[in-house]
Amino acid sequence: EAWEYMRKEGFFGLIIPKNFGGHEFSATAHSAIVAKLASRSGPLATTVMVPNSLGPAELLMHYGTDQQKEYYLPRLAAGVEMPCFALTEPNAGSDAGGMEAHGIVIKGDDGELYLKLNWNKRYITLASRATVLGLAVKLHDPSNLLGKGFHPGITCVLVSTDTPGVVNNQQHDPLLIPFLNCPTSGKAVVVSADSIIGGADG
């Protein structure tokens, strides 16, 4: 019931612009809402806070292509898509520079560009509920297919959790509270290069 109420009332679209179905609230308004929720339930406050701060919506608003924004932002605002931001790793913590997750740019038999992704993330808020991962990886392009050099660097990729090879069906329980803090992993997961936030040319 709580999840349906949050979806219905647009709690997952607090910062998303109104033209994409969100509330377009300021940082102050967002903070006031989260503070009120936290006075009742810490896990509830975090459940609302994370999709409205870290993760796909904010990244898309700043860096997404028009096509990515038009598809994802209305779905995120309505709670049809549930996002998470997958950065933290067992051997790197939240140090993006030390992460081991990586993607390799490849050309498919159809001539299109794809990414082959491998990752092992821990303590990712909402990962077990997520339908779309905002996955932080170090990108490698051995054949310079993107034209940005052999090692374009750290980027964020949108990965649907129903993509073959994605594992996100487990949950940590560090504090004995109903807080969705979860691992996610993937091995040789293939997605379109257009899944890079900002697009393959962004």
Side-chain angles (χ1 to χ4, degrees):
E1 290 178 6
W3 282 93
E4 287 309 310
Y5 183 85
M6 287 188 287
R7 289 188 175 97
K8 178 183 175 184
E9 299 300 329
F11 277 86
F12 299 119
L14 299 181
I15 65 169
I16 293 173
K18 290 180 180 179
N19 59 312
F20 290 111
H23 290 299
E24 201 170 336
F25 286 160
S26 66
T28 302
H30 176 208
S31 177
I33 291 166
V34 171
K36 183 68 172 181
L37 294 175
S39 73
R40 303 299 191 269
S41 169
L44 176 61
T46 305
T47 297
V48 170
M49 178 178 63
V50 168
N52 289 290
S53 54
L54 296 172
E58 187 165 18
L59 291 169
L60 284 167
M61 285 161 51
H62 290 291
Y63 308 109
T65 64
D66 289 342
Q67 184 178 8
Q68 289 171 338
K69 291 176 183 178
E70 288 167 9
Y71 179 79
Y72 280 106
L73 290 179
R75 296 169 66 83
L76 289 166
V80 174
E81 298 278 3
M82 186 57 56
C84 71
F85 180 56
L87 170 63
T88 306
E89 296 183 1
N91 296 322
S94 296
D95 172 21
M99 72 178 168
E100 298 171 356
H102 62 277
I104 299 174
V105 182
I106 58 175
K107 183 174 281 190
D109 293 338
D110 57 3
E112 298 296 319
L113 299 184
Y114 295 90
L115 307 177
K116 184 179 287 189
L117 305 166
N118 292 277
W119 73 90
N120 182 27
K121 305 288 187 177
R122 291 290 184 273
Y123 305 115
I124 307 303
T125 303
L126 299 181
S128 67
R129 280 272 184 152
T131 60
V132 58
L133 306 175
L135 180 69
V137 297
K138 289 182 177 177
L139 195 60
H140 305 286
D141 188 357
S143 300
N144 197 23
L145 297 170
L146 297 178
K148 298 181 180 297
F150 301 115
H151 302 286
I154 295 170
T155 192
C156 193
V157 181
L158 296 168
V159 180
S160 175
T161 56
D162 62 5
T163 305
V166 175
V167 178
N168 73 320
N169 60 354
Q170 298 177 317
Q171 209 167 287
H172 299 304
D173 188 14
L175 299 174
L176 302 177
I177 58 173
F179 170 48
L180 295 171
N181 197 324
C182 321
T184 177
S185 61
K187 186 173 183 180
V189 175
V190 176
V191 300
S192 168
D194 289 335
S195 299
I196 298 170
I197 292 184
D201 297 323

